[in-house]
């Protein structure tokens, strides 16, 4: 009797047991699928996106190839932007303003840091790198990556504007490389008269950031200043600024620079110079290896020196350069930092500089035997870089630059008198700095 009762109970329970087992199997299957997908996902490389000016893509791509070979779990995807730095900055800005930026790495011109950092778009990198490690970089380049004492950008390469000259033509004419604005005008005219070059001096006059960098050098070389970063005083309507504009306008009026110079950017001027059509050029160090490549008509015929200046003043260089930051919205900050460490490491930079001819951001590389063997002028350039002047490191830099670009272009193309243009530029800049209660970034 008891036995029968137990068997009956068991019979009732059995279907429950079966469904329990089925339930268990489904759970296991589900967990298996989850685990498998997680495993597959974990095997997928993480992709880091970045945006940069198109001409900088091929050199970076070469470094990326090596990085990816060493780090199979990370892929880097380059989005090529326009050539002009200010247009690339606009693209980053719109991406950040729209919300989640699609970019993990932010490839930054030295002038963007205050704005991007003040807007809260970048990760603070201060605790990721020690003071000792930072000390290996040029202090100016590091400074350009700080905002209110925190570090947001690590420099990968430096830049400084300088004067290129045709040493062959100067030697033939028995002339020394020019020191002052007047020397440059006189030497240009002499060399133009020989018929060996059509133009004397080329500079970047298009309405864009490059013209601002160029103008800063002429302005400082005339003894003037744009915005004093400590006091935020604006110097654009002072007589030195007018002298600077006078020099630039004079180059066109006296036929030393082509009339089209007010529409040229770096690459236009480099091509003219490299084709042998001009005696002097103001540009960045990237020109050197290109002008000296096998097929270049001016290979081995150029010299490089600090910019010319007004008599009694000294030559000034505008500090340029590029570095990496990490977007605050990036979902892969660790991988992004790994890439930054790789790109800024001494060995990667040595290879990068040897191949591409940019200026290193690490001081020791300027005198590195391998680098000096290829670029004997680097130790001399280090001095120029160390004295190079930062464009005002203020959060409103983009607007300040835009004001200067507009009025400078108006003055250079004779649309407005230099006095009126610089008066308006100075007033607008003052209003901008007062409205934003700008404070220096230090
Ligand atoms: C170079 C400089 C950069 C500057 C730009 C202007 O790329 O490195 O700092 O803003 O030229 O065209």
């Amino acid at each position: 009797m008891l036995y029968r009762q137990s068997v009956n109970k068991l019979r009732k329970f059995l279907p429950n047991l079966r469904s329990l087992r089925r339930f268990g199997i489904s759970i296991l299957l589900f967990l298996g699928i989850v685990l498998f997908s997680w495993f597959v996902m974990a095997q997928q490389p993480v992709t880091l996106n970045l945006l940069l000016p198109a001409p900088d893509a091929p050199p970076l791509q070469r470094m990326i190839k090596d990085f990816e070979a060493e780090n199979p779990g990370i892929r880097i995807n380059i989005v090529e932007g326009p050539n002009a730095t200010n247009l690339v900055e606009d693209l980053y800005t719109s991406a950040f303003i729209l919300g989640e930026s699609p970019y993990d790495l932010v490839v930054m011109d030295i002038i963007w840091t205050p704005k991007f950092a003040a807007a809260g778009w970048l990760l603070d990198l201060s605790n990721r790198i020690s003071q000792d490690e930072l000390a290996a970089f040029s202090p100016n380049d590091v400074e350009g990556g700080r905002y209110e004492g925190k570090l947001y950008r690590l420099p990968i390469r430096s830049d400084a504007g300088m004067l290129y000259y045709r040493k062959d033509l100067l030697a033939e004419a028995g002339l020394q490389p020019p020191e002052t604005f007047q020397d440059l005008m006189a030497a240009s005219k002499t060399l133009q008269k020989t018929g060996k070059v059509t133009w004397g001096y080329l500079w970047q006059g298009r309405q864009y950031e490059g013209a601002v960098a160029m103008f800063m050098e002429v302005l400082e070389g005339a003894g003037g200043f744009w915005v004093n970063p400590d006091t935020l005083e604006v110097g654009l309507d002072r007589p030195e600024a007018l002298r600077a504009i006078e020099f630039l306008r004079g180059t066109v009026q006296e036929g030393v620079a082509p009339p089209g110079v007010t529409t040229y950017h770096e690459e236009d001027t480099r091509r003219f110079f490299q084709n042998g059509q001009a005696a002097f050029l103001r540009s960045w160090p990237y020109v050197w290896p290109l002008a000296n490549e096998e097929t270049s008509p001016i290979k081995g015929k150029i010299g490089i020196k600090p910019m010319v200046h007004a008599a009694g003043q000294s030559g000034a260089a505008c500090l340029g350069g590029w570095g990496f930051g990490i977007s605050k919205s990036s979902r892969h900050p660790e991988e992004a930092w790994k890439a930054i460490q790789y790109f800024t490491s001494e060995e990667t930079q040595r290879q990068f500089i040897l191949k591409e001819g940019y200026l290193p951001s690490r001081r020791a590389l300027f005198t590195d035997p391998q680098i000096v063997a290829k670029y004997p002028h680097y130790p001399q350039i280090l001095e120029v870089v160390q004295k190079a002047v930062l464009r005002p490191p203020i959060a409103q830099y983009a607007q300040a630059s835009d004001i200067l670009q507009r009025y400078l272009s108006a003055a250079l193309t004779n649309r407005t008198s230099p006095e009126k243009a610089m008066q308006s530029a100075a007033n607008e800049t003052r209003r901008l700095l007062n409205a934003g209660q700008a404070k220096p970034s230090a």
Side-chain angles (χ1 to χ4, degrees):
M1 185 66 182
L2 195 66
Y3 168 75
R4 192 162 298 157
Q5 269 177 359
S6 307
V7 168
N8 279 346
K9 260 191 199 162
L10 202 64
R11 272 206 192 118
K12 265 195 221 148
F13 186 65
L14 260 181
N16 283 349
L17 245 186
R18 263 190 225 118
S19 56
L20 212 76
R21 205 177 54 202
R22 255 183 260 131
F23 179 68
I25 290 173
S26 329
I27 291 275
L28 274 177
L29 251 172
F30 175 72
L31 282 179
I33 291 171
V34 168
L35 260 172
F36 182 71
S37 341
W38 178 81
F39 178 76
V40 170
M41 294 274 284
Q43 300 303 301
Q44 294 288 322
V46 160
T47 300
L48 301 174
N49 291 305
L50 61 82
L51 164 73
L52 86 180
D56 291 337
L60 189 66
Q61 195 67 63
R62 291 190 265 278
M63 278 199 288
I64 289 179
K65 229 173 112 216
D66 297 340
F67 171 76
E68 289 180 341
E70 275 183 35
N71 297 275
I74 309 177
R75 290 277 159 277
I76 297 184
N77 174 41
I78 293 187
V79 179
E80 290 185 27
N83 289 11
T85 169
N86 44 301
L87 299 181
V88 179
E89 190 204 344
D90 288 347
L91 291 180
Y92 268 120
T93 299
S94 343
F96 285 129
I97 285 176
L98 285 174
E100 293 252 314
S101 137
Y103 306 113
D104 301 275
L105 286 163
V106 190
V107 184
M108 292 163 69
D109 193 338
I110 194 159
I111 46 183
W112 303 350
T113 314
K115 170 177 160 182
F116 284 19
W121 296 333
L122 300 174
L123 273 191
D124 176 7
L125 307 178
S126 315
N127 294 330
R128 292 182 182 259
I129 181 160
S130 72
Q131 287 308 315
D132 275 359
E133 285 173 288
L134 264 188
F137 294 88
S138 294
N140 271 345
D141 295 332
V142 174
E143 220 30 61
R146 282 194 211 278
Y147 182 67
E148 297 190 337
K150 293 184 182 154
L151 185 75
Y152 293 94
R153 164 194 181 273
L154 207 56
I156 180 177
R157 68 174 176 96
S158 192
D159 231 354
M162 26 203 106
L163 185 74
Y164 288 82
Y165 57 89
R166 286 285 302 274
K167 63 178 184 198
D168 57 330
L169 301 184
L170 283 177
E172 277 168 30
L175 294 172
Q176 289 300 313
E179 284 302 322
T180 63
F181 296 145
Q182 290 91 326
D183 292 346
L184 178 71
M185 292 295 272
S188 291
K189 289 178 189 165
T190 307
L191 296 180
Q192 282 173 279
K193 273 198 207 112
T194 66
K196 297 210 167 120
V197 280
T198 316
W199 304 108
Y201 179 46
L202 300 171
W203 43 276
Q204 297 80 38
R206 191 196 195 98
Q207 186 180 323
Y208 81 125
E209 182 60 35
V212 166
M214 173 285 303
F215 182 64
M216 241 197 93
E217 291 160 4
V218 181
L219 181 60
E220 297 263 336
F225 65 95
W226 177 7
V227 175
N228 177 326
D230 301 320
T231 59
L232 297 181
E233 191 189 347
V234 177
L236 291 178
D237 49 359
R238 294 165 67 108
E240 296 86 5
L242 296 179
R243 238 174 277 148
I245 294 191
E246 212 175 281
F247 162 66
L248 291 170
R249 279 166 50 114
T251 64
V252 182
Q253 282 159 359
E254 295 181 37
V256 162
V261 81
T262 51
T263 63
Y264 291 172
H265 55 56
E266 283 94 351
E267 277 297 85
D268 300 316
T269 55
R270 179 187 66 82
R271 282 189 209 110
F272 258 103
F273 185 66
Q274 195 162 323
N275 287 340
Q277 294 182 59
F280 301 102
L281 162 75
R282 177 271 165 207
S283 198
W284 308 96
Y286 85 98
V287 168
W288 182 271
L290 297 174
N292 277 310
E293 60 191 13
E294 264 332 296
T295 54
S296 165
I298 58 168
K299 178 180 186 305
K301 296 179 178 167
I302 56 172
I304 191 168
K305 69 176 291 296
M307 264 300 286
V308 285
H309 50 84
Q313 302 289 338
S314 48
C318 171
L319 185 73
W322 292 77
F324 283 89
I326 303 178
S327 156
K328 216 179 215 168
S329 59
S330 168
R331 276 182 284 129
H332 312 294
E334 296 317 316
E335 287 84 354
W337 177 244
K338 204 164 188 187
I340 294 182
Q341 279 177 308
Y342 179 88
F343 294 141
T344 56
S345 73
E346 185 167 328
E347 192 41 37
T348 310
Q349 231 185 60
R350 181 180 290 108
Q351 296 312 324
F352 180 53
I353 303 304
L354 282 171
K355 270 188 219 136
E356 317 295 346
Y358 291 131
L359 291 188
S361 58
R362 286 178 173 271
R363 269 188 295 180
L365 291 179
F366 279 91
T367 46
D368 179 88
Q370 259 179 289
I371 289 187
V372 176
K374 184 150 185 201
Y375 307 117
H377 56 297
Y378 271 31
Q380 182 200 345
I381 291 190
L382 177 60
E383 285 168 39
V384 180
V385 170
Q386 278 173 341
K387 281 196 236 134
V389 188
L390 260 179
R391 281 157 280 178
I394 48 173
Q396 298 92 329
Y397 179 80
Q399 290 114 296
S401 170
D402 182 65
I403 295 171
L404 182 53
Q405 285 170 37
R406 281 187 282 116
Y407 288 107
L408 181 62
S409 174
L412 293 174
T413 54
N414 301 322
R415 279 178 285 136
T416 315
S417 74
E419 292 78 7
K420 232 173 122 197
M422 288 297 107
Q423 191 64 60
S424 308
N427 289 341
E428 263 189 48
T429 309
R430 286 188 191 110
R431 275 201 297 277
L432 167 78
L433 298 182
N434 290 338
Q437 287 160 334
K439 39 188 169 153
S441 77

